[in-house]
């Protein structure tokens, strides 16, 4: 029997990818499944970005290894982007380009954490944070935020969980799965608290450009020089430019931390894929009209979809401010349809209602489901109609 390391054995399967795989399997069998599971835009990557990758290949720019930290023009473009849109000054040696933002997070935890170091994870949380902390030998300290508080926590709540082993806090705003956004005042309070106690702020800003109805995501690093020094920004091109498959993320911050992340890349991934780097360069340096068009589309879909979700019996929802998810409390719906858990309820919806959502277990809130609205309005309406019919049928049984 092949031995599996304890380190890997403790890692849970990603519920989002597992549900997505099940949907693909059922679709391959001919089932008409509406999938509201996947965290990626349904837009095509803009043509000028695709063309930049093709041009890089045609001009033989990508035949060899690039620097482990990414090509210099792309790193400079990331520096310029944060200067232009956030007023933040970074140097090239404070930037690393990675294989998606997920890899940036993974590498960062490997660099920051020793065995037993604690990381504050604000729940609901993105499914991979906790698993990546485990893989780095860290300990997850889960701090739950309630719907009644817009799924946000206060400094007082953070302080209750702080110990002498606290190394970092992960702050995801706009949040996956809730869509909540921390205000400038809330971020300032958290930032100053982190500075006071020398706690690294891991600022996941991957959804920063997807904000709706007048809401705006502020980069916590922009609030003061002291907070900036305490912050490592994680971002990428996946959500903003519909480039999830291109796998380009990046991290900005303390040059020593970034330097160690580069050392890790030298011995693990070598470098991100060349064509993808040139595509990302075109995305950051090119016209940004596409970003606003996509944002407006999702804002319109949210305005259409949210009232429909509110009308589903047993669903309790909070209107998101950003990202492209609704995090719905559906425990009542599960119970009235005869299911002991939301996980069972979600599975039954896939099999019987032919609508797929992601159970909240992996996000730390098992009474909820994450619903993605990266589908057109007609499809979203049909999904709600199917869910309602499913609940009505099961309630009568």
């Amino acid at each position: 029997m092949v031995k599996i390391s304890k380190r890997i054995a403790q890692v849970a399967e990603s519920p989002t990818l597992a549900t997505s795989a099940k949907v693909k399997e059922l679709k391959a069998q001919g089932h008409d499944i509406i999938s509201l599971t996947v965290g990626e835009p349904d837009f095509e990557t803009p043509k000028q970005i695709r063309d930049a990758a093709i041009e890089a290949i045609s001009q033989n720019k990508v035949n060899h290894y690039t620097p482990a930290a990414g090509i210099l023009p792309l790193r400079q473009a990331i520096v310029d982007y944060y200067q232009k849109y956030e007023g933040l000054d970074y140097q090239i040696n404070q930037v690393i380009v990675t294989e998606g933002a997920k890899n940036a997070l993974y590498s960062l935890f490997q660099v920051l954490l020793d065995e037993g170091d604690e990381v504050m994870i604000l729940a609901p949380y993105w499914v991979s944070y906790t698993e990546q902390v485990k893989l780095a030998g860290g300990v997850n300290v889960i701090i739950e935020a309630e719907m009644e508080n817009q799924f946000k926590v206060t400094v007082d709540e953070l302080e209750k969980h702080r110990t002498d082993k606290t190394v970092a806090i992960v702050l995801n705003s706009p949040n996956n799965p809730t869509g909540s956004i921390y205000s400038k005042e809330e971020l300032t309070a958290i930032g100053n608290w982190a500075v006071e106690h020398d706690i690294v702020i891991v600022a996941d800003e991957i959804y920063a450009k997807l904000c709706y109805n007048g809401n705006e995501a502020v980069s916590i690093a922009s609030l003061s020089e002291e907070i900036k020094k305490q912050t490592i920004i994680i971002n990428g091109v996946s959500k903003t430019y519909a480039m999830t498959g291109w796998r380009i993320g990046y991290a900005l911050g303390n040059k020593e931390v970034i330097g160690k992340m580069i050392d890790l890349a030298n011995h693990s991934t070598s470098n991100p894929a060349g064509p993808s780097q040139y595509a990302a360069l075109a995305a950051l340096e090119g016209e940004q009209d596409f970003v606003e068009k996509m944002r407006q589309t999702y804002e319109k879909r949210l305005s259409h979809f949210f009232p429909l979700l509110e009308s589903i019996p047993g669903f309790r929802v909070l209107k998101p401010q950003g990202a492209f998810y609704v995090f719905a409390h559906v425990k009542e719906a599960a119970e009235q349809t005869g299911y002991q858990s939301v996980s069972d309820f979600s599975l039954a919806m896939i099999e019987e209602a032919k609508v797929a959502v992601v159970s909240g277990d992996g996000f730390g809130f098992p009474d909820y489901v994450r619903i993605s609205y990266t589908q057109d309005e007609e499809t979203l309406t049909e999904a709600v109609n199917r869910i309602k019919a499913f609940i009505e049928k099961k309630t009568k049984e």
Side-chain angles (χ1 to χ4, degrees), residues 120 143 153-163 166 169 193-194 196-197 199:
M120 290 184 171
I143 306 171
V153 301
T154 65
V155 166
D156 289 342
E157 291 171 295
L158 297 177
E159 181 61 20
K160 290 177 184 177
H161 291 81
R162 182 178 64 84
T163 74
T166 305
I169 177 173
W193 170 84
E196 179 184 354
H197 299 291
I199 295 170

Side-chain angles (χ1 to χ4, degrees), residues 370-384:
R370 191 190 75 175
I371 306 169
S372 172
Y373 48 93
T374 55
Q375 296 273 13
D376 61 66
E377 292 177 25
E378 183 180 352
T379 302
L380 294 173
T381 301
E382 173 61 19
V384 171

Side-chain angles (χ1 to χ4, degrees), residues 64-76:
H64 305 285
Y65 294 120
T66 76
I71 57 174
L72 288 176
L74 177 54
R75 295 168 76 192
Q76 184 62 55

Side-chain angles (χ1 to χ4, degrees), residues 13-51:
E13 181 181 28
S14 168
T16 54
L17 296 181
T19 306
S20 177
K22 182 173 181 60
V23 169
K24 290 176 181 178
E25 179 185 340
L26 289 172
K27 282 186 174 182
Q29 295 172 5
H31 294 280
D32 174 26
I33 307 289
I34 296 176
S35 178
L36 307 180
T37 63
V38 182
E40 63 178 346
D42 57 325
F43 285 72
E44 291 184 354
T45 304
K47 186 176 185 299
Q48 69 269 21
I49 296 175
R50 289 180 276 136
D51 286 347

Side-chain angles (χ1 to χ4, degrees), residues 105-172:
L105 284 161
Y106 176 85
S107 298
L108 177 59
F109 290 132
Q110 292 292 325
V111 167
L112 288 181
L113 302 180
D114 284 319
E115 198 75 27
D117 284 342
E118 294 178 355
V119 179
M120 290 184 171
I121 305 290
L122 312 183
Y125 49 76
W126 178 56
V127 297
S128 292
Y129 293 146
T130 53
E131 307 312 302
Q132 291 187 349
V133 168
K134 290 179 192 175
L135 285 168
V139 176
N140 292 294
V141 177
I142 308 299
I143 306 171
E144 293 190 357
E146 302 299 331
M147 180 185 283
E148 290 70 23
N149 296 324
Q150 296 186 309
F151 294 116
K152 295 187 284 186
V153 301
T154 65
V155 166
D156 289 342
E157 291 171 295
L158 297 177
E159 181 61 20
K160 290 177 184 177
H161 291 81
R162 182 178 64 84
T163 74
D164 58 2
K165 293 184 178 181
T166 305
V167 170
I169 177 173
V170 180
L171 192 63
N172 177 212

